[in-house]
Amino acid sequence: MLFLVLAVITLSLQGYAQTSLSGTITGANGEPIPGATVIVEGTTNGTVTNFDGKFSLDVKEGDVLLFSFVGMKSQKIAYTGQTNVDVELEADMIGLEEVVAVGYGTMKKSDLTGSAVKADLESFREAPNTSIMQSLQGSVPGVQIGQVNRAGQDPSINVRGETTINGSKSPLVVLDGVIYRGRITDINPADIESVDILKDASSKAVYGAQAANGVILITTKGGKKSMKPTISYSGYYSVSEPTKNYRLLNRDEWLDAIKTIEYKDAYTEASGYTQPNPDWDYSMSQALPAVIEAIESGKEYDWWDSATQNAYTQNHVLNISGGGEKTSYFVSGGFTQQQALIINDDYSRANLRVNLDMDITSWLTIGTNTFLSFADYSGSVPSIGNIRRMAPVVTPQDGEGNWVINPIGDNTVNPLLNAQALDSDKRHQINLNNYAKINIPWVKGLTYRLNYNYTLNARNQANFNEFGAGITGYARKETANSYTTLLDNIINYSRSFGDHDINATLVYGFNETEWEGTVADGDGYTNIALGFNSLEQATNQYISSGAWKEKNLYQMGRIAYDYKNRYLMTATLRRDGFSGFASNNKFGLFPSVGAGWVVSEEEFLGETLEYLKLRASYGVTGNQTSRYSSLAKVVSGDSQKYVFGDGGVTVNGQSVSSMANNDLTWETTYETNFGADFTFFNSKLRGSVDYYNSTTKDLLWNVVIPNMTGFSSVRTNLGELKNQGIEINLNTTPVKTSDFSWNLNVNFAHNKNKVVSLLGEDNDGDGMEDDLVASGLFIGETLGSIYGYEVEGIWQIGDEIMDGYFPGAYKLKDQAGPDGSEPDGTITAADDRVILGHDNPLFTMGVMNKLDYKNFSLKFFFNIIEGGKNGYMGYNSRPTGTPGTMASQNWFNSYDLWSPLNPDATYAIGWESPAINTNILQSRSFIRLQDISLSYTLTEELIDKIGLGSAKVYVSGKNMFTITNWDGWDPETGQGINSDAYPVMRSYTIGLDISF
Amino acid sequence: MKKFIKYIAYSILSAGMLVSTSCNEDEFLKEVPMDFYSPENSYVTYDNFKSALADLYARVRYIHFRYTETETYVHMLGTDVAKNARHEDNRRLGNYGNYFVPENGLFSYHWEQWYKIIANANTVLSRMESSEMTPTQKAVVEAEAKFFRGFAYRFLGYLYGGVPLVLEEVTSPRADFVRASQDEVFDQVIADFKDAADALPGITEVKDGQVSNLVASYYLAEMYITKGQYGDAITEVSKVINDPSTSLMTERFGTRKNEPGDVYWDLFRRDNQNRSAGNTEALWVAQMEIDVPGGFLSTTGGYDNGLERMCAPAIWSCTTPDGKGDGFIRMRTGYNQGGRGVSFMANTDWFINDIWGDDFDNDMRNSQYNFQRTGVYDNPDSPWYGKPVNDPENPSANWKNQKWRWYPFPIKVTTPYNHPETIYADPELGTLKSNAGSTFRDMYYLRLAEAYLLRAEAYHLNGDNGKAADDINIVRNRVNSTPVESPEVDIDYILDERARELVYEEQRRLTLVRTGKLIERVRKYNELNGDDIEDHHKLFPIPYSVIEANKDAEITQNPGYSGS
């Protein structure tokens, strides 16, 4: 393969060395167009423009130059000896000639009848994102990407609200045309050309039973035919710090906290516990003796400092692209290294990608999009919870430098010991994606394409902790591999007959994934020298293994018809079979239909409308059940084993662990979408609006059943859920002069979901369908309803306190007595829980500003999630424990804790638990300056002097500030004051892109 | 060349079509489990059923001895013999009012655990007929499964009162259960135990840890007492006592018989519980092995069977009278520290001080080997070395206000100087790793002394106090206690004797509920819970989650609880 690449490069390097022509390619508005293609017609001699739209190319008299760019009308200019040529390309219709991936093919955006969006990746190229999905965070209406706080983490993705309760919530990812089940973080963001998101059912239905949560189509970069080789390097270095500067209490603050815990003794009762008790000292506290000893010795130690490190990310990518007359190539190698805040939370990834496309004959093209990814997550990360638990007076090592096993003197093991463990966690992916395309010679417009994908995901983990398993030493090795095979046969017929354009696609394919994993571990090591490489040294040895296999089989047909570029129609039908479907329901059918009307093309409107297209679509999609979920399982686990007699042999136990459901089927979503795409005011305002309304039936659901059956739940299809929402995307250019321009993009999405029906039963006889309180589901309310006890405040000393509560405990509202009668003075689950709010946003919004002045470009992006009156709520929990453990522990200085001296505190005490223990709800709404960057593109003169093709330097910032009322680490991740998890980071980046 | 390429292209095309279309779709999509069994293929052979029975043994052991502070020890906490050592209202049953509410997970935990045992026993019984087992094999399997079903309903019936009776495997969802009466539940228990007693092998024929016909007879007798059938009860329990293979241990025996101690002490030493160790008193023993799959006990993590952790005092956490933390070499094996205790559950003052009466000095069960009544600083480097922490002149600084840090405790909760090798932090010093806390030995479900006390109860209720006193005195004689006079025998005396003999062995709450004495005796003898226990606490509340999930029929709440 590599040989082939080199050969191609060598070939295309030959055959130019004449006079040099340079110039600039701009759009109609004068904006330079980077990435536009310039080639000498009929040759392999070509180039692409740099960031300034500039190019230079060696030409000879008589050459005809072809200038082209996606979405623009191509131009031809004959070379007549001039040294400079500036070209202005005319917009074909801005953005509308854009080609969009639609699944098993591409379509011009102008031909779409459904709702598919191309993500604006360029605007986020300067952010230190290790996963491409982070570039979509807040920037695509209707797509919600979760915040990440770990090194090399895949963010969560949600498209158009939640359509499921217990089913899968992940969208389907399609990489270069084939379904991709690996980690998105394995794909180098720099290799990605475009990301398209299919949002409405008519677009998604081509993926049938797997499409209900949306489809994300990722396309990697390719070379261009007849283009001279371009070698590019881009790199950045980024440093990070937590977005909140919370720290653990220092010695003095912490000593005060102990007095608060022991306030009944440490303060005098006569003073209402506000005056210190002179007879009290720390040796009388409930703190553990080791802690008391440490208090007396006057020590202070900063555990947070010892458990954190300088966080940084660096990234280097080198790629070569170009093409000969019949071949194009893109070869890239990348290296990413990330070190997160907590020690050993490290990630590195090396990537190699080869994308090739070769015309073998006039009718046969073969190609590959192959990549290898080597990710390394090695490093044993100490538990933040245990770091927090260490009192600030105890130390990790004693005076002689020996590790202290239990610093606070209870069973909490020194968290830094875990960090000493040898740890290896390597995750490799080999993804071979090959295709062959045949233009059927005897039928014009008919092609056959074969996609064949084989993916190997291998995970190898090993850990050796000499302090593990009660300091006897613990070692573990795990290997897990998955093998995926996919084969798609795609027949496409695309042809114009006068005003009639037809594009028909037929797909027949299958997909098979097999997984197997083995874990071997052991404890009790007398000689630690061999670490995890000789597990058999363990006194106690354990093994376990597992395997599964799942298969999909599918057929799909799609026909798109276009009359005069004015009337558009698309219809699809997919038939899906999945091994995980129950025996009575092996196949499902998923139809869809869409129509579009380009109003502005109507002659009777004349020139009044610049561009307006109306779209309407309807379709059916599914959400698969998980494999084996319809079967009754018999498990035989370790906890079921028994040994009869002293020194006897182990007898395996077995029992049935789940109930079978032979009728289990996929969830079905029926969705209607209305949309409009428009361009007004001389292309100054461009955008689209979509409204959708979907109903999901046969929800996959682990319905709670009484455990007298022997089971606590069973997976079933039940009920009905509605989602409706609106998505708006607007692009404007408010200011534009020759040196300065301001581009503004605003996207907005609102989604509302509602439980329409559950079991369809009315057992309480009130004429209305019953809620499923045990599952937290209520008819007419949103899926994210939060049902619980209303906190009215905190009980104070001197209050007449309800039984089971005490000063410093949350005061719960007595909503009612039995069966809704008047409040009865007691708090019970039956009578006093109410719907307090929900956790869905009212709207999400992204605002991107782009300011260009000469060679400088400033971009800043706000991500906004707003919950409204009682939406986007989250519980803010507090540290809890016994008085003894709490007095021996620490907590973050974010905790505004109740005490007799601080009666107006926000949070209740955590060392006594009331009859009913709950937390307080807070709004997570926020506005975040998520990305900001300033870049400078080197002037042409400078570039020429250095001898480069183009160069850009930039600085950028991520998560710069957040405006929110949420108390604690981060509203988006929902981490509150009691975060025992990883903080969200703010980063500062400096980067460089060059090509030659 | 061109031809060659064409040939390749056709091959690809036809291969693609072939792979995609030639196979049978249903065959291709057939789902085959790879790493778990299905009921159809795993309830077939005798070995399969033995596995299904092993699961029941493991689950019963789990619910009795898994380490949780409240769920597992709820049958001891808040009774006449034991309480939350730290007197905390909201932990470890410190206060009945706060704990005994239908929402508390404690009650759904017990409900769910016992019903899972019932369901698994029902699966065995329902799938037995279609299996490959011989009639002889079937008979034994059936008897054992019925024993466990009866055992589970026995707990449910005593704890919750009437509960739904489920006697067959449930294979499709249902939520229409209704409570049977407590009497109906007990009738079912009797039916199951009868069948078990008839068909289970004798005690010499079963492996250590397996139930025999004697075990079934014992529980059958107990249930007869509950039903007022005292004569039947005497007959059944006499089978246990009269069996030639059972007898009380009266002489020193076992692994440490040459060390200072006595025979009662020997009963609770490591490796001394099984019949194979020469223990003829053991009737049914929960089997535990250390660091073996299925052995339950681990020296590398977890505190299952954590009686030591729960009951032994955290004396190591006592500061010296001058407030220093160095009075102890921390967490040591032995009598003084009692291993790695954390003071969660202590005996009531009544149990510690009053229950021994005139036999305080001569009752073996209160001997220096069996009940630790002193606690001294054990660090030779401390000026307080050898002095008691509870010295009235110079008490420990933190013990003064926090009496829970040290209290007298029964030695049967620990294994003094005999912890497993791998749990020592320093074998020389006898210090233990912080993950110690398990009681590292097999545990009695049932031993013969209890059978004598049960028969005494039956005789007494049947009006024969003479024979009742005889049975009690067999137990008392063994421990050198003064024999009881027959007029002194009443239920309270029998309960006192059970406490002396069986503390931290029997599920005390069940005994008290069964004899109707819970409320009275907690009020009388438990200084922590005496004020907060109310009459309705004699039964657990029905878990609210069960009432809620059972949507197609009503499960009524027990009287006195919210929702009743």
Side-chain angles (χ1 to χ4, degrees), chain A residues 835-900:
Chain A
I835 294 174
L836 299 165
H838 60 88
D839 60 11
N840 307 315
L842 177 66
F843 66 83
T844 60
M845 196 165 146
V847 179
M848 169 60 98
N849 283 282
K850 246 189 270 188
L851 301 167
D852 290 298
Y853 176 72
K854 290 191 172 164
N855 288 20
F856 288 94
S857 179
L858 174 70
K859 290 178 245 184
F860 53 100
F861 176 75
F862 289 95
N863 187 9
I864 300 161
I865 300 184
E866 174 60 45
K869 196 167 129 256
N870 54 4
Y872 204 49
M873 306 288 277
Y875 278 112
N876 210 332
S877 66
R878 61 199 196 283
T880 54
T882 64
T885 54
M886 288 286 280
S888 306
Q889 285 182 7
N890 203 349
W891 57 72
F892 287 101
N893 64 349
S894 52
Y895 181 14
D896 176 28
L897 164 69
W898 180 92
S899 77

Side-chain angles (χ1 to χ4, degrees), chain A residues 284 293 296 411 448 450 470 489 547 551 628 634 640 646 650 652 654 656 710 759 761 763 829 881 913, chain B residues 12-13 20 25 28 31 35 37 42 51 55 90-91 103 116 289 293 303 317 323 330 402 433-434 442 551:
Chain A
M284 297 174 195
E293 230 178 300
E296 289 186 352
N411 57 349
Y448 166 76
L450 177 76
N489 299 283
K551 296 172 186 180
Y628 304 128
V634 172
Q640 295 166 284
D646 294 332
T650 301
N652 285 343
Q654 67 168 46
V656 183
L759 307 182
E761 292 175 353
N763 286 327
S913 41
Chain B
I12 294 171
L13 185 67
S20 303
E25 286 186 337
F28 183 76
E31 190 166 41
D35 59 5
Y37 304 108
S42 56
S51 283
D55 166 81
N90 294 297
R91 287 199 171 83
E103 290 82 4
K116 186 66 186 166
E289 295 283 304
Y303 322 107
S317 75
R330 277 182 204 124
Q402 296 146 24
K433 290 176 184 165
S434 61
D442 297 327
K551 58 182 184 52

Side-chain angles (χ1 to χ4, degrees), chain A residues 930-947:
Chain A
Q930 183 182 291
D931 289 286
I932 180 165
S933 73
L934 176 67
S935 62
Y936 173 72
T937 310
L938 268 62
T939 59
E940 198 185 347
E941 300 82 63
L942 211 52
I943 290 167
D944 280 349
K945 258 184 222 158
I946 318 171

Side-chain angles (χ1 to χ4, degrees), chain A residues 596-658:
Chain A
W597 176 28
V598 185
V599 183
S600 50
E601 290 281 308
E602 292 293 352
E603 276 144 21
F604 62 82
L605 283 169
E607 293 292 310
T608 50
L609 269 178
E610 206 169 305
Y611 181 77
L612 175 67
K613 180 169 86 178
L614 300 179
R615 296 178 270 109
S617 70
Y618 173 81
V620 182
T621 54
N623 192 358
Q624 280 183 182
T625 62
S626 48
R627 58 184 166 267
Y628 304 128
S629 56
S630 69
L631 304 181
K633 293 177 192 165
V634 172
V635 290
S636 178
D638 275 354
S639 65
Q640 295 166 284
K641 293 181 162 75
Y642 206 82
V643 178
F644 293 98
D646 294 332
V649 293
T650 301
V651 181
N652 285 343
Q654 67 168 46
S655 64
V656 183
S657 70
S658 67

